[in-house]
Amino acid sequence: GRTGALNGKHILVTAGPTHEPIDPVRYIANRSSGRQGYAIAGALAALGAKVTLVSGPVTLATPPGVTRVDVETAQQMADTVTSALPADAAVMVAAVGDWRAETAVQKLKKGDTPPSLALSENPDILALLAHGPHRPGLVVGFAAETEKVIEHATAKRTRKGADWIVANDVSGDVMGGEANAVHLVTADGVESWERLPKGEVARRLASRIADALTTAPKD
Ligand code: C5P
């Protein structure tokens, strides 16, 4: 990517897992490390973009030049993304919890029967953003799949209203790991990239985003 290619562009990135509280000491989470999202935020900033990184709970350092807003739950992530608009592009890398539990005010106590969790669905931040009134010009989603990776990602692109879906096969050691094998699914078709370090996936994607934002026709 060219230095300064994203100067003056505001790009929103979500990363990490969400924590959905069960009671004051327990939560539902997932295995996302936030590494791929943080790498993307850093790569976009390195090309000159003003990056807002909305992050779930992770143990990573904020990449240079990135403005980070920490959240815990999917609902907080949705609200923070909405307040950060407008943006020229959005890259939704977070592994957002699909469900939340009703949070007990006091710590649940062990008893005769284990408690059951009544789950409700969380907002789909990507779909809301893509179908919303302040839609960024380029909306990129991720799809972590364990089977029929391209088929599921292609369907997801249309259903969620994203321009691109970066599909990755997480049946191996991708979540929490160092490398990633991804397919870039766009309206033009599918591009499969070789297995690359997450930093390299980030730089290539940032470079593609710079191309799209600087060659796309302006309204
Ligand atoms: O449906 P699925 O969770 O596989 O979709 C993944 C994509 O959607 C990712 O880009 C993720 O960040 C986004 N997503 C979201 N809000 C949700 C669920 C997923 O933004 N509640």
Side-chain angles (χ1 to χ4, degrees):
R2 293 159 291 124
T3 314
L6 287 170
N7 280 350
K9 305 290 185 188
H10 178 216
I11 305 188
L12 202 53
V13 178
T14 67
T18 62
H19 284 185
E20 307 297 332
I22 295 169
D23 70 13
V25 300
R26 302 183 177 96
Y27 57 83
I28 303 169
N30 61 66
R31 295 190 191 282
S32 169
S33 66
R35 275 189 197 154
Q36 186 64 80
Y38 272 58
I40 290 166
L44 291 165
L47 293 183
K50 176 183 180 292
V51 177
T52 304
L53 171 60
V54 183
S55 176
V58 298
T59 52
L60 296 171
T62 309
V66 167
T67 302
R68 167 174 169 184
V69 185
D70 286 323
V71 300
E72 280 189 16
T73 67
Q75 188 59 58
Q76 288 165 358
M77 189 174 275
D79 294 343
T80 305
V81 162
T82 304
S83 345
L85 294 171
D88 298 288
V91 191
M92 316 304 273
V93 199
V96 182
D98 290 313
W99 308 287
R100 65 175 175 276
E102 240 172 75
T103 310
V105 179
Q106 305 297 339
K107 183 183 171 189
L108 298 175
K109 305 305 278 181
K110 259 183 288 195
D112 297 336
T113 51
S116 34
L117 296 178
L119 300 178
S120 41
E121 202 162 321
N122 273 329
D124 189 314
I125 304 166
L126 170 58
L128 285 174
L129 185 76
H131 294 121
H134 306 289
R135 187 190 194 281
L138 180 67
V139 176
V140 182
F142 268 65
E145 307 286 353
T146 55
E147 52 161 5
K148 298 183 190 162
V149 176
I150 291 170
E151 191 181 319
H152 285 151
T154 304
K156 199 163 286 185
R157 194 186 81 84
T158 315
R159 188 174 69 241
K160 298 206 182 201
D163 298 297
W164 300 352
I165 290 280
V166 181
N168 57 346
D169 188 335
V170 293
S171 55
D173 59 352
V174 163
M175 284 192 110
E178 294 287 354
N180 212 351
V182 306
H183 312 272
L184 180 61
V185 180
T186 72
D188 298 332
V190 182
E191 244 180 66
S192 296
W193 297 357
E194 66 269 34
R195 189 179 163 87
L196 296 165
K198 287 181 176 179
E200 186 54 29
V201 170
R203 280 186 290 277
R204 287 197 190 192
L205 187 64
S207 170
R208 293 294 289 266
I209 290 170
D211 291 345
L213 291 189
T214 51
T215 60
K218 295 244 162 20
D219 291 338

